[in-house]
Protein backbone atom coordinates (compact mmCIF):
# COMPACT_ATOMS: atom_id res chain seq x y z
CA UNK A 1 0.00 0.00 0.00
CA UNK A 2 1.50 3.38 -0.95
CA UNK A 3 2.35 5.75 1.86
CA UNK A 4 2.48 8.80 -0.38
CA UNK A 5 1.08 9.91 -3.67
CA UNK A 6 2.05 12.91 -5.71
CA UNK A 7 -0.36 15.17 -3.85
CA UNK A 8 0.44 14.12 -0.27
CA UNK A 9 2.60 16.11 2.09
CA UNK A 10 4.74 13.90 4.30
CA UNK A 11 5.70 15.16 7.74
CA UNK A 12 9.46 15.39 8.27
CA UNK A 13 9.43 17.22 11.59
CA UNK A 14 12.06 14.93 13.07
CA UNK A 15 15.31 13.53 11.80
CA UNK A 16 13.95 10.04 12.53
CA UNK A 17 11.04 10.64 10.12
CA UNK A 18 13.51 11.89 7.51
CA UNK A 19 15.58 8.71 7.93
CA UNK A 20 12.51 6.45 7.70
CA UNK A 21 11.28 8.15 4.52
CA UNK A 22 14.75 7.98 2.93
CA UNK A 23 14.80 4.23 3.66
CA UNK A 24 11.41 3.70 1.99
CA UNK A 25 12.40 5.96 -0.90
CA UNK A 26 15.60 3.97 -1.50
CA UNK A 27 13.56 0.80 -2.09
CA UNK A 28 11.68 2.47 -4.97
CA UNK A 29 14.58 4.09 -6.82
CA UNK A 30 15.94 2.41 -9.92
CA UNK A 31 18.96 2.96 -12.12
CA UNK A 32 18.15 5.77 -14.53
CA UNK A 33 16.05 7.72 -12.03
CA UNK A 34 16.79 11.41 -11.69
CA UNK A 35 15.67 13.11 -8.49
CA UNK A 36 15.31 16.87 -8.13
CA UNK A 37 15.43 18.26 -4.58
CA UNK A 38 13.76 21.63 -4.06
CA UNK A 39 13.67 23.65 -0.85
CA UNK A 40 15.36 26.48 0.90
CA UNK A 41 18.79 26.24 2.46
CA UNK A 42 18.91 24.27 5.71
CA UNK A 43 15.57 22.51 5.27
CA UNK A 44 17.00 18.98 5.14
CA UNK A 45 17.69 18.09 1.50
CA UNK A 46 21.26 16.96 2.15
CA UNK A 47 20.25 15.18 5.35
CA UNK A 48 17.66 13.21 3.37
CA UNK A 49 20.27 12.41 0.70
CA UNK A 50 22.75 11.27 3.37
CA UNK A 51 20.22 8.81 4.79
CA UNK A 52 19.26 7.71 1.27
CA UNK A 53 22.83 6.93 0.17
CA UNK A 54 23.69 5.35 3.52
CA UNK A 55 20.63 3.08 3.11
CA UNK A 56 21.92 1.93 -0.29
CA UNK A 57 25.26 1.23 1.37
CA UNK A 58 23.60 -0.80 4.18
CA UNK A 59 21.43 -2.75 1.74
CA UNK A 60 24.48 -3.60 -0.37
CA UNK A 61 26.66 -4.45 2.63
CA UNK A 62 29.06 -1.65 1.74
CA UNK A 63 30.98 0.60 4.07
CA UNK A 64 28.88 3.47 5.43
CA UNK A 65 30.61 6.66 4.33
CA UNK A 66 30.25 10.30 5.20
CA UNK A 67 27.84 12.03 2.83
CA UNK A 68 28.36 15.76 2.41
CA UNK A 69 26.88 18.39 0.14
CA UNK A 70 28.86 18.87 -3.06
CA UNK A 71 28.26 22.64 -2.94
CA UNK A 72 31.85 23.57 -3.78
CA UNK A 73 32.86 20.74 -6.11
CA UNK A 74 29.35 20.41 -7.68
CA UNK A 75 29.42 16.58 -7.74
CA UNK A 76 30.03 13.74 -5.32
CA UNK A 77 30.04 10.23 -6.80
CA UNK A 78 29.30 7.05 -4.88
CA UNK A 79 29.91 3.57 -6.26
CA UNK A 80 27.97 1.05 -4.19
CA UNK A 81 28.62 -2.36 -5.74
CA UNK A 82 26.77 -2.18 -9.09
CA UNK A 83 24.97 1.07 -8.22
CA UNK A 84 26.45 4.43 -9.11
CA UNK A 85 24.93 7.49 -7.45
CA UNK A 86 25.80 11.00 -8.64
CA UNK A 87 24.93 13.74 -6.14
CA UNK A 88 24.96 17.24 -7.65
CA UNK A 89 24.50 20.61 -5.97
CA UNK A 90 23.80 23.32 -8.55
CA UNK A 91 23.44 26.20 -6.07
CA UNK A 92 26.49 28.09 -7.37
CA UNK A 93 25.70 27.72 -11.09
CA UNK A 94 24.56 30.84 -12.88
CA UNK A 95 23.92 29.71 -16.45
CA UNK A 96 22.52 26.83 -18.44
CA UNK A 97 25.87 26.59 -20.24
CA UNK A 98 27.54 25.55 -16.98
CA UNK A 99 25.09 22.64 -16.72
CA UNK A 100 25.95 21.44 -20.22
CA UNK A 101 29.61 21.20 -19.20
CA UNK A 102 28.69 18.83 -16.34
CA UNK A 103 27.05 16.22 -18.66
CA UNK A 104 24.47 15.53 -15.94
CA UNK A 105 22.09 13.69 -18.23
CA UNK A 106 24.65 11.80 -20.33
CA UNK A 107 24.70 8.04 -19.86
CA UNK A 108 22.50 8.14 -16.79
CA UNK A 109 20.71 4.82 -17.40
CA UNK A 110 23.28 3.09 -15.18
CA UNK A 111 23.17 5.78 -12.52
CA UNK A 112 20.85 7.27 -9.93
CA UNK A 113 21.18 11.04 -10.22
CA UNK A 114 20.36 13.27 -7.24
CA UNK A 115 20.26 17.03 -7.89
CA UNK A 116 19.93 19.74 -5.26
CA UNK A 117 18.97 23.22 -6.50
CA UNK A 118 17.73 22.07 -9.95
CA UNK A 119 15.84 25.32 -10.69
CA UNK A 120 18.37 26.30 -13.35
CA UNK A 121 17.50 23.20 -15.43
CA UNK A 122 14.89 24.25 -18.00
CA UNK A 123 14.10 20.92 -19.69
CA UNK A 124 12.91 18.25 -17.32
CA UNK A 125 14.45 14.85 -18.04
CA UNK A 126 12.69 11.50 -18.34
CA UNK A 127 12.54 9.29 -15.24
CA UNK A 128 12.21 12.41 -13.09
CA UNK A 129 11.11 12.35 -9.46
CA UNK A 130 10.72 15.67 -7.65
CA UNK A 131 10.91 16.23 -3.91
CA UNK A 132 9.86 19.61 -2.58
CA UNK A 133 10.81 20.31 1.03
CA UNK A 134 8.92 23.06 2.86
CA UNK A 135 8.65 24.61 6.26
CA UNK A 136 5.13 24.66 7.55
CA UNK A 137 3.76 27.36 9.86
CA UNK A 138 6.94 27.41 11.91
CA UNK A 139 10.52 26.37 11.30
CA UNK A 140 10.05 23.34 13.57
CA UNK A 141 7.60 21.64 11.21
CA UNK A 142 8.85 20.47 7.83
CA UNK A 143 7.23 18.45 5.09
CA UNK A 144 8.09 17.02 1.72
CA UNK A 145 5.91 16.47 -1.31
CA UNK A 146 6.90 13.81 -3.82
CA UNK A 147 5.96 13.98 -7.49
CA UNK A 148 6.65 11.16 -9.90
CA UNK A 149 6.76 8.25 -7.47
CA UNK A 150 4.38 6.49 -5.12
CA UNK A 151 5.97 5.05 -2.02
Amino acid sequence: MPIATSSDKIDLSSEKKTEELACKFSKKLKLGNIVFFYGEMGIGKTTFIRYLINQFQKDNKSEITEITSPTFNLLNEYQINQIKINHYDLFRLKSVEEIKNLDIFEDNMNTITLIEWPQIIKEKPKNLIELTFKYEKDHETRSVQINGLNL
Side-chain angles (χ1 to χ4, degrees):
M1 177 159 121
I3 63 160
T5 63
S6 60
S7 62
D8 289 338
K9 275 195 227 180
I10 302 167
D11 176 47
L12 291 181
S13 296
S14 72
E15 195 161 334
K16 184 69 177 159
K17 288 181 181 184
T18 301
E19 182 180 11
E20 289 169 356
L21 181 63
C23 177
K24 290 176 184 172
F25 192 74
S26 75
K27 308 295 188 236
K28 297 290 186 168
L29 282 181
K30 297 178 177 66
L31 292 176
N33 283 147
I34 298 167
V35 186
F36 283 4
F37 292 84
Y38 298 97
E40 60 187 272
M41 197 170 294
I43 198 160
K45 299 180 299 290
T46 304
T47 299
F48 182 91
I49 290 169
R50 179 182 76 227
Y51 284 123
L52 178 67
I53 293 171
N54 285 161
Q55 188 62 48
F56 274 105
Q57 292 169 329
K58 287 177 195 173
D59 290 346
N60 287 279
K61 296 175 180 35
S62 295
E63 177 185 354
I64 304 301
T65 60
E66 182 178 354
I67 308 299
T68 59
S69 177
T71 301
F72 296 104
N73 56 343
L74 303 177
L75 169 65
N76 289 340
E77 296 178 306
Y78 303 91
Q79 189 70 47
I80 306 166
N81 293 340
Q82 303 305 314
I83 301 167
K84 181 178 178 187
I85 299 176
N86 285 340
H87 176 199
Y88 292 91
D89 184 324
L90 306 182
F91 183 76
R92 296 186 312 117
L93 297 188
K94 303 294 183 233
S95 74
V96 175
E97 289 302 314
E98 291 177 287
I99 293 172
K100 290 179 184 172
N101 293 336
L102 292 174
D103 290 332
I104 292 174
F105 304 121
E106 299 298 317
D107 190 32
N108 65 353
M109 292 314 295
N110 297 314
T111 305
I112 294 172
T113 304
L114 311 175
I115 304 174
E116 294 186 64
W117 303 99
Q119 291 84 336
I120 196 167
I121 298 171
K122 300 300 177 210
E123 285 187 45
K124 292 191 177 183
K126 294 178 182 178
N127 300 321
L128 178 63
I129 302 164
E130 297 175 292
L131 277 69
T132 304
F133 293 77
K134 291 186 178 179
Y135 287 112
E136 296 302 319
K137 295 176 185 161
D138 55 39
H139 279 297
E140 299 299 314
T141 308
R142 294 176 297 117
S143 66
V144 66
Q145 186 171 352
I146 300 173
N147 290 313
L149 181 74
N150 288 336
L151 291 182

